[in-house]
Amino acid sequence: MNFRITDKKKAIIKRVYKISLVLIGVVIVLFNDTFGKLEGFVEFITLYFLVLFFTFFYWLFKQIKSIIRLKNEKTKTELMHLKSQVNPHFFFNTLNNLYGLVGKDAEKAQELILKLSDMMRYSVYDGEKDTVLLSEEVTYLQNYIELHKMRYHKTIDIQFNIDITDNDHKVMPLLFIILLENAFKHGVENLRKNAYVHLNLTAHQNAINFEIENNFDATEESQEEGIGLQNLKRRLELVYPKNHTLTTSKTDDIYYAKLNITNL
């Protein structure tokens, strides 16, 4: 953490220092007038400086503690704001599809409503937590994929390979959904045929690796970094500042992203 003393705090420190010098001068005068010599003065002035020293550093400790608290509160506020921006595009699109499906296939619409309800509950309630179980994140991704399969009237090659040795890993909620959402938003939605999304999630010991690859229509839209990806990068910086790597690449009509988190 970068600790910066503001001009106001510098002025307070200077004022305390000047007052201390004045008090020392007063003490010297009083002791000279009272005793005429410096008997016991060394012990007194030593005690005085010790009291002054501890008083000053107690004040400094309180200031640093206050700054750390304010910084943590600011970080939590920013994280909550970033989480609230996750996947509104998906929910709006699903509701639009649901509206058209209710009159045509009531049974399928009911199934879609239940899955959407579970996802919204997770996004609203669990999304506010600091951490969730990795298995819960996996379930959220699987529900997202199932909802998309129900939405589209075309064949999509979706593969989700999972290799997790410990389901008790705890991670930041809504961690992978932005990468998956981008794969559908920029890839599947714009392709009439041969669309695919391939995912790999591995978790061993204290490390998690998430890879996702999808194709897209290079003639219609280039898959560039948008608000969602910027959102994810900022959240990773706040929660895993030195323990993550996020890389993306694009070749021809294929987009690839890889997220690695260590020291969990």
Side-chain angles (χ1 to χ4, degrees), residues 134-143 145 158-167 169 176 180 198-204 208-211:
L134 179 59
S135 57
E136 295 174 322
E137 277 288 286
V138 170
T139 300
Y140 184 71
L141 295 178
Q142 290 172 329
N143 283 336
I145 291 171
I158 302 177
Q159 299 178 23
F160 192 0
N161 300 313
I162 304 170
D163 182 10
I164 301 176
T165 57
D166 185 0
N167 280 334
H169 277 306
F176 311 105
L180 180 57
H198 294 170
L199 306 92
N200 291 291
L201 176 63
T202 61
H204 301 292
I208 295 176
N209 291 285
F210 180 74
E211 299 175 88

Side-chain angles (χ1 to χ4, degrees), residues 178-191:
I178 290 176
L179 296 176
L180 180 57
E181 182 183 21
N182 280 345
F184 279 95
K185 179 181 177 181
H186 298 286
V188 174
E189 287 191 9
N190 297 325
L191 288 170

Side-chain angles (χ1 to χ4, degrees), residues 79-123:
L79 273 173
M80 289 179 63
H81 174 68
L82 291 171
K83 287 176 183 178
S84 69
Q85 297 177 344
V86 174
N87 63 15
H89 174 268
F90 163 72
F91 286 123
F92 284 129
N93 276 353
T94 304
L95 287 173
N96 287 332
N97 283 100
L98 180 60
Y99 177 79
L101 188 63
V102 169
K104 298 178 181 178
D105 191 337
E107 186 176 346
K108 189 174 182 180
Q110 289 177 347
E111 185 181 353
L112 191 149
I113 289 171
L114 286 176
K115 286 188 177 294
L116 183 62
S117 176
D118 288 339
M119 289 193 64
M120 292 187 72
R121 186 182 300 110
Y122 181 84
S123 181

